[in-house]
């Protein structure tokens, strides 16, 4: 008993001086711990809510993307056949299992040719394919304005005529701003004789300054 008592006294002395502020420090640390625990819980709930929102948004956007993709593909095929006077083309999803991040490829088969990737087409054919895709999009959702920068540059005369016909048709719903060096395309922009365009008249102000 005496030996055990001596061991306990030695151990007690090893604790050092008693910290009279220990209780207050404990309460302060406990309040801080409770506050951080509450914040962590709030953040976890917000994170769970955000993840659910992301899943819902991805589901909705994927559904709308696929609906629009298949619709654009049909219109693209229609305009392609019109510009190329036959043939076929289509848009392909590179990864159908993950439509949200997949890329899109274009395969085209102008009349009399085998099915090709768009990279293997000539410059004029690539321009027509791009034009077909653009106007396919316009058939679904037209915009008030469309700027075309030398789209007709690589086209031959026959293709330019079909391009011009398409522009005239879509000019009923959209206004086209075309940068071109081709005379046929320029002539398309001329006003008709029935309603000739006249420049606005400007009056010189009599006031100085």
């Amino acid at each position: 008993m005496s030996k055990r008592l001596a061991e306990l006294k030695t151990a007690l002395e090893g604790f050092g001086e008693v910290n009279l502020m220990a209780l207050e420090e404990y309460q302060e640390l406990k309040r801080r711990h409770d506050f951080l625990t509450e914040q962590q819980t709030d953040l976890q709930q917000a994170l769970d809510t955000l993840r659910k929102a992301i899943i819902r948004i991805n589901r909705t956007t994927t559904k709308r993307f696929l609906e629009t993709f298949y619709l654009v593909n049909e219109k693209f095929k229609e305009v392609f056949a019109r510009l190329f006077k036959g043939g076929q083309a289509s848009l392909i999803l590179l990864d159908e299992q993950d439509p949200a991040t997949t890329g899109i490829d274009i395969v085209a088969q102008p009349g009399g040719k085998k099915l090709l990737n768009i990279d293997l087409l000539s410059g004029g054919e690539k321009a027509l394919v791009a034009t077909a895709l653009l106007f396919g999009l316009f058939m679904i959702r037209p915009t008030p304005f469309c700027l075309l920068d030398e789209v007709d540059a690589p086209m031959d005369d026959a293709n330019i005529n079909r391009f011009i016909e398409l522009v005239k048709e879509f000019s009923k719903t959209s206004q086209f701003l075309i940068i071109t060096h081709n005379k046929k395309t320029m002539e398309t922009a001329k006003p008709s004789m029935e309603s000739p365009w006249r420049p606005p008249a400007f009056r010189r102000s009599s006031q100085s300054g």
Side-chain angles (χ1 to χ4, degrees):
M1 295 289 291
S2 299
K3 184 179 179 180
R4 179 58 180 162
L5 180 59
E7 291 176 354
L8 293 175
K9 285 183 177 181
T10 302
L12 184 60
E13 291 174 356
F15 287 143
E17 297 180 359
V18 176
N19 183 7
L20 300 179
M21 301 296 295
L23 184 59
E24 294 182 4
E25 292 178 359
Y26 166 77
Q27 295 295 339
E28 179 65 26
L29 290 175
K30 185 178 184 302
R31 285 193 295 269
R32 179 63 176 168
H33 176 267
D34 293 342
F35 171 76
L36 293 177
T37 301
E38 183 180 354
Q39 293 296 310
Q40 183 184 26
T41 302
D42 291 342
L43 288 175
Q44 188 62 48
Q45 292 176 351
L47 183 59
D48 293 341
T49 302
L50 182 60
R51 285 174 177 169
K52 293 178 181 178
I54 291 175
I55 293 174
R56 184 172 63 254
I57 291 172
N58 286 342
R59 187 186 303 115
T60 302
T61 54
T62 299
K63 178 183 177 182
R64 292 185 179 180
F65 167 76
L66 289 176
E67 291 175 351
T68 305
F69 172 80
Y70 293 123
L71 184 58
V72 170
N73 194 22
E74 292 302 317
K75 298 301 181 183
F76 170 60
K77 293 178 181 179
E78 179 182 335
V79 181
F80 179 90
R82 177 176 174 180
L83 285 176
F84 282 87
K85 294 298 182 181
Q88 58 182 348
S90 63
L91 304 175
I92 298 177
L93 296 176
L94 297 180
D95 185 4
E96 295 184 358
Q97 302 300 323
D98 189 9
T101 60
T102 183
I104 297 176
D105 200 1
I106 300 176
V107 292
Q109 184 179 11
K113 293 186 178 182
K114 63 180 182 179
L115 196 64
L116 298 172
N117 183 283
I118 187 174
D119 294 332
L120 301 177
L121 299 177
S122 66
E125 290 172 334
K126 288 181 180 178
L128 279 184
V129 171
T131 303
L133 180 57
L134 173 65
F135 283 98
L137 292 170
F138 263 68
M139 293 176 72
I140 299 173
R141 181 172 295 180
T143 60
F145 296 94
C146 178
L147 174 62
L148 301 176
D149 186 4
E150 298 189 26
V151 176
D152 55 357
M155 299 180 187
D156 56 24
D157 290 342
N159 290 334
I160 286 178
N161 289 335
R162 291 194 286 269
F163 165 73
I164 291 174
E165 291 176 2
L166 209 58
V167 171
K168 287 181 178 179
E169 178 179 332
F170 281 84
S171 294
K172 299 176 182 178
T173 56
S174 301
Q175 184 172 358
F176 287 84
L177 306 175
I178 302 178
I179 300 172
T180 181
H181 296 284
N182 188 278
K183 293 182 179 179
K184 287 188 176 181
T185 307
M186 293 180 189
E187 290 174 354
T188 306
K190 289 183 178 180
S192 63
M193 297 303 295
E194 296 178 358
S195 56
W197 177 85
R198 294 183 177 87
F202 292 94
R203 294 183 178 180
R204 185 174 180 178
S205 175
S206 59
Q207 297 179 355
S208 59

